[in-house]
Amino acid sequence: LWRQLLRWAVQDAPEQLSVNAQPGRANPAEPVVLRAVLADSAFAPAVPRFVTARVTTPTGAFVEVPLQRAPREPGVYTASFVPQERGA
């Protein structure tokens, strides 16, 4: 009973980091929009000075993508990334 109660209580708890990419799958040279939502330990919007996404390519290489603070959306950072390989 207690375990189920705890699961129910935390199932809708916010996360400190949420990241998504649109579209989820892209062809080479097709832009992908990255969006990150950051929160501090009190789950208030985090506003760090710099935010960088690290994209892993299908060949295992890393691409560093700097994100910019979204205007009028505290804690939200976005960037456009253009993959050079299929599956990135």
Side-chain angles (χ1 to χ4, degrees):
L1 171 71
W2 292 112
R3 185 177 291 165
Q4 289 174 335
L5 180 61
L6 284 172
R7 280 191 199 135
W8 174 81
V10 299
Q11 74 183 8
D12 292 327
E15 294 188 32
Q16 287 182 281
L17 173 64
S18 172
V19 179
N20 72 14
Q22 291 298 324
R25 289 195 175 264
N27 294 315
E30 178 183 337
V32 174
V33 175
L34 303 176
R35 184 175 193 270
V37 180
L38 286 75
D40 63 16
S41 59
F43 298 102
V47 287
R49 190 175 198 107
F50 302 103
V51 177
T52 303
R54 183 180 232 192
V55 178
T56 306
T57 70
T59 58
F62 296 107
V63 178
E64 302 273 328
V65 181
L67 282 76
Q68 302 297 316
R69 189 178 301 170
R72 298 177 299 280
E73 289 186 272
V76 177
Y77 295 79
T78 62
S80 182
F81 168 70
V82 180
Q84 302 302 309
E85 302 175 42
R86 182 174 298 283

